[in-house]
Amino acid sequence: MKPTGPEQPLEYEVTLLDTEPGTGAPDTGVPAGRRRWALVLLAGALALDVSGVAVINAALPSIGDEYNIDGSTLQWTMTAYAIAFAGFLLFGGRVADVLGRRKIFAVGIALFAVASLAAALAPTVGVLIAARALQGIGAALSGPASLALLSQLFPEGPQRNRALGVYAATGGSSFSAGLVAGGALTDFLGWRSVFAVSVLAGVLILAAVRALLPAGRRQPHSLESRARSWSPWV
């Protein structure tokens, strides 16, 4: 069988990535010194999210005495946070991809700080439980975004592995640290100080977001189209 025409050469495109001098790793466009401070910021945000589960444990007896509530109602001050955090975690990751990781990270931290302020000033246990649920939603928004930002900041290889190691170690130790910090704050300053400290931490993190974290790029998909991909009933 004879060929019908001349064979066409294959065409392809090769994309070369800029590399960091002396490392061979892809250049993320962020100076190394700024990346280190960004890692501190992201690890601090993770510590805030994880400790939020445990920090109230030692304060439960004081909260129960102030509001004169039984143990089953008191338990909701912890359960509301855990349910909201777990329930909105996947949504937080998706919305960060669509609307921008730094933006959603900042929104999550801001929501966490506002909810912490509401919890610190809560006049009733119902307000406290609602504030704890909002804290959980804020953590669910900032958590996935912070991990995505870390991967964006550090190139694949040893640098990212070290950064992930620091990030994971921070998360693992934050629960125990939250228990200790919550107990100390409750003993010396009262249970409301536990949430006041979270407000201060959230404000400090927000103040450094624009200076340390890259803006990133929005994905070229609408939120509605993304929602259809993860929700079977949309």
Side-chain angles (χ1 to χ4, degrees):
M1 185 175 181
K2 296 182 179 180
T4 56
E7 184 178 351
Q8 297 296 325
L10 295 175
E11 296 182 0
Y12 56 92
E13 180 179 335
V14 176
T15 302
L16 298 178
L17 298 176
D18 294 333
T19 59
E20 295 183 356
T23 66
D27 187 0
T28 60
V30 180
R34 180 181 165 191
R35 286 204 299 267
R36 285 192 289 270
W37 282 110
L39 175 58
V40 172
L41 179 71
L42 295 173
L46 176 65
L48 187 64
D49 294 343
V50 174
S51 64
V53 180
V55 74
I56 199 175
N57 274 345
L60 290 178
S62 299
I63 295 172
D65 291 341
E66 178 165 338
Y67 293 125
N68 193 24
I69 54 178
D70 58 23
S72 59
T73 303
L74 191 61
Q75 188 65 29
W76 274 102
T77 59
M78 294 183 60
T79 305
Y81 183 96
I83 290 177
F85 180 59
F88 282 86
L89 198 58
L90 290 177
F91 174 78
R94 290 294 189 177
V95 77
D97 286 341
V98 176
L99 299 181
R101 294 164 179 173
R102 188 177 74 177
K103 179 187 295 185
I104 297 303
F105 175 80
V107 168
I109 294 296
L111 181 59
F112 191 98
V114 170
S116 298
L117 180 60
L121 301 175
T124 65
V125 69
V127 174
L128 177 60
I129 292 173
R132 289 286 289 165
L134 287 177
Q135 277 188 317
I137 295 173
L141 292 176
S142 64
S146 67
L147 184 58
L149 284 166
L150 187 145
S151 298
Q152 181 178 339
L153 281 163
F154 292 91
E156 187 175 358
Q159 291 189 42
R160 183 180 295 178
N161 293 339
R162 286 194 294 269
L164 288 173
V166 171
Y167 189 81
T170 301
S173 61
S174 296
F175 188 88
S176 299
L179 289 173
V180 175
L185 287 170
T186 302
D187 287 342
F188 289 104
L189 299 174
W191 69 266
R192 293 181 187 272
S193 66
V194 170
F195 299 107
V197 169
S198 295
V199 176
L200 178 60
V203 170
L204 291 176
I205 291 172
L206 281 175
V209 165
R210 184 171 292 274
L212 296 178
L213 300 181
R217 295 184 298 272
R218 293 172 57 180
Q219 297 293 333
H221 300 284
S222 68
L223 184 58
E224 181 182 358
S225 64
R226 284 296 184 117
R228 294 182 185 278
S229 68
W230 81 74
S231 178
W233 53 82
V234 174

